[in-house]
mmCIF file of all heavy atoms in Angstrom:
data_model
loop_
_atom_site.group_PDB
_atom_site.id
_atom_site.type_symbol
_atom_site.label_atom_id
_atom_site.label_comp_id
_atom_site.label_asym_id
_atom_site.label_seq_id
_atom_site.Cartn_x
_atom_site.Cartn_y
_atom_site.Cartn_z
ATOM 1 N N GLY A 1333 49.270 131.527 179.903
ATOM 2 C CA GLY A 1333 50.309 131.282 180.876
ATOM 3 C C GLY A 1333 50.522 132.476 181.807
ATOM 4 O O GLY A 1333 50.519 133.568 181.426
ATOM 5 N N THR A 1334 50.542 132.113 183.071
ATOM 6 C CA THR A 1334 50.738 133.222 184.089
ATOM 7 C C THR A 1334 51.939 132.936 185.005
ATOM 8 O O THR A 1334 51.932 133.063 186.195
ATOM 9 C CB THR A 1334 49.432 133.237 185.091
ATOM 10 O OG1 THR A 1334 49.202 131.980 185.594
ATOM 11 C CG2 THR A 1334 48.252 133.769 184.354
ATOM 12 N N GLY A 1335 53.002 132.569 184.256
ATOM 13 C CA GLY A 1335 54.236 132.263 184.857
ATOM 14 C C GLY A 1335 55.238 133.335 184.731
ATOM 15 O O GLY A 1335 54.941 134.479 184.904
ATOM 16 N N ALA A 1336 56.478 132.962 184.262
ATOM 17 C CA ALA A 1336 57.544 133.998 184.185
ATOM 18 C C ALA A 1336 57.203 135.056 183.209
ATOM 19 O O ALA A 1336 57.433 136.256 183.488
ATOM 20 C CB ALA A 1336 58.812 133.226 183.883
ATOM 21 N N LEU A 1337 56.846 134.743 181.970
ATOM 22 C CA LEU A 1337 56.538 135.781 180.971
ATOM 23 C C LEU A 1337 55.194 136.356 181.266
ATOM 24 O O LEU A 1337 55.031 137.588 181.013
ATOM 25 C CB LEU A 1337 56.564 135.168 179.540
ATOM 26 C CG LEU A 1337 57.912 134.640 179.046
ATOM 27 C CD1 LEU A 1337 57.759 133.982 177.703
ATOM 28 C CD2 LEU A 1337 58.898 135.744 179.045
ATOM 29 N N GLY A 1338 54.227 135.616 181.682
ATOM 30 C CA GLY A 1338 52.897 136.103 181.999
ATOM 31 C C GLY A 1338 52.865 137.074 183.201
ATOM 32 O O GLY A 1338 52.056 137.961 183.245
ATOM 33 N N SER A 1339 53.864 136.991 184.082
ATOM 34 C CA SER A 1339 53.938 137.870 185.172
ATOM 35 C C SER A 1339 54.088 139.331 184.828
ATOM 36 O O SER A 1339 53.222 140.183 185.076
ATOM 37 C CB SER A 1339 54.965 137.426 186.191
ATOM 38 O OG SER A 1339 54.666 136.168 186.820
ATOM 39 N N PRO A 1340 55.260 139.708 184.141
ATOM 40 C CA PRO A 1340 55.418 141.078 183.750
ATOM 41 C C PRO A 1340 54.368 141.579 182.677
ATOM 42 O O PRO A 1340 53.898 142.687 182.726
ATOM 43 C CB PRO A 1340 56.813 141.116 183.259
ATOM 44 C CG PRO A 1340 57.194 139.717 182.846
ATOM 45 C CD PRO A 1340 56.450 138.898 183.853
ATOM 46 N N SER A 1341 54.045 140.602 181.770
ATOM 47 C CA SER A 1341 53.101 140.928 180.752
ATOM 48 C C SER A 1341 51.737 141.360 181.344
ATOM 49 O O SER A 1341 51.211 142.424 181.012
ATOM 50 C CB SER A 1341 52.876 139.850 179.792
ATOM 51 O OG SER A 1341 54.056 139.636 178.980
ATOM 52 N N SER A 1342 51.225 140.567 182.247
ATOM 53 C CA SER A 1342 49.946 140.815 182.827
ATOM 54 C C SER A 1342 49.910 142.105 183.644
ATOM 55 O O SER A 1342 49.021 142.909 183.595
ATOM 56 C CB SER A 1342 49.480 139.686 183.688
ATOM 57 O OG SER A 1342 50.402 139.444 184.799
ATOM 58 N N LEU A 1343 51.034 142.297 184.466
ATOM 59 C CA LEU A 1343 51.090 143.505 185.306
ATOM 60 C C LEU A 1343 51.239 144.790 184.497
ATOM 61 O O LEU A 1343 50.550 145.802 184.722
ATOM 62 C CB LEU A 1343 52.255 143.308 186.295
ATOM 63 C CG LEU A 1343 52.102 142.280 187.345
ATOM 64 C CD1 LEU A 1343 53.332 142.154 188.206
ATOM 65 C CD2 LEU A 1343 50.945 142.612 188.281
ATOM 66 N N TYR A 1344 51.983 144.773 183.378
ATOM 67 C CA TYR A 1344 52.204 145.984 182.617
ATOM 68 C C TYR A 1344 50.918 146.221 181.725
ATOM 69 O O TYR A 1344 50.601 147.439 181.504
ATOM 70 C CB TYR A 1344 53.457 145.942 181.749
ATOM 71 C CG TYR A 1344 54.659 146.381 182.542
ATOM 72 C CD1 TYR A 1344 55.646 145.551 182.855
ATOM 73 C CD2 TYR A 1344 54.767 147.746 182.922
ATOM 74 C CE1 TYR A 1344 56.800 145.931 183.514
ATOM 75 C CE2 TYR A 1344 55.850 148.115 183.591
ATOM 76 C CZ TYR A 1344 56.931 147.222 183.938
ATOM 77 O OH TYR A 1344 57.928 147.712 184.697
ATOM 78 N N LEU A 1345 50.271 145.175 181.301
ATOM 79 C CA LEU A 1345 49.004 145.407 180.580
ATOM 80 C C LEU A 1345 47.955 146.034 181.509
ATOM 81 O O LEU A 1345 47.148 146.892 181.179
ATOM 82 C CB LEU A 1345 48.499 144.184 179.964
ATOM 83 C CG LEU A 1345 49.318 143.594 178.797
ATOM 84 C CD1 LEU A 1345 48.941 142.180 178.439
ATOM 85 C CD2 LEU A 1345 49.172 144.558 177.594
ATOM 86 N N ALA A 1346 47.921 145.546 182.731
ATOM 87 C CA ALA A 1346 46.969 146.008 183.709
ATOM 88 C C ALA A 1346 47.272 147.510 184.054
ATOM 89 O O ALA A 1346 46.439 148.354 184.132
ATOM 90 C CB ALA A 1346 46.956 145.170 184.961
ATOM 91 N N ALA A 1347 48.610 147.749 184.304
ATOM 92 C CA ALA A 1347 48.974 149.126 184.651
ATOM 93 C C ALA A 1347 48.698 150.066 183.544
ATOM 94 O O ALA A 1347 48.366 151.297 183.821
ATOM 95 C CB ALA A 1347 50.545 149.183 184.929
ATOM 96 N N ALA A 1348 48.782 149.646 182.276
ATOM 97 C CA ALA A 1348 48.541 150.449 181.166
ATOM 98 C C ALA A 1348 47.073 150.789 180.936
ATOM 99 O O ALA A 1348 46.714 151.669 180.186
ATOM 100 C CB ALA A 1348 49.149 149.857 179.787
ATOM 101 N N GLY A 1349 46.177 149.983 181.613
ATOM 102 C CA GLY A 1349 44.815 150.203 181.531
ATOM 103 C C GLY A 1349 44.115 149.400 180.386
ATOM 104 O O GLY A 1349 43.054 149.779 179.914
ATOM 105 N N VAL A 1350 44.624 148.252 179.991
ATOM 106 C CA VAL A 1350 43.903 147.296 179.212
ATOM 107 C C VAL A 1350 42.725 146.796 179.955
ATOM 108 O O VAL A 1350 42.890 146.140 180.929
ATOM 109 C CB VAL A 1350 44.860 146.215 178.675
ATOM 110 C CG1 VAL A 1350 44.026 145.142 177.861
ATOM 111 C CG2 VAL A 1350 45.918 146.685 177.802
#
Side-chain angles (χ1 to χ4, degrees):
T1334 53
L1337 295 176
S1339 291
S1341 289
S1342 62
L1343 291 176
Y1344 274 113
L1345 289 170
V1350 172

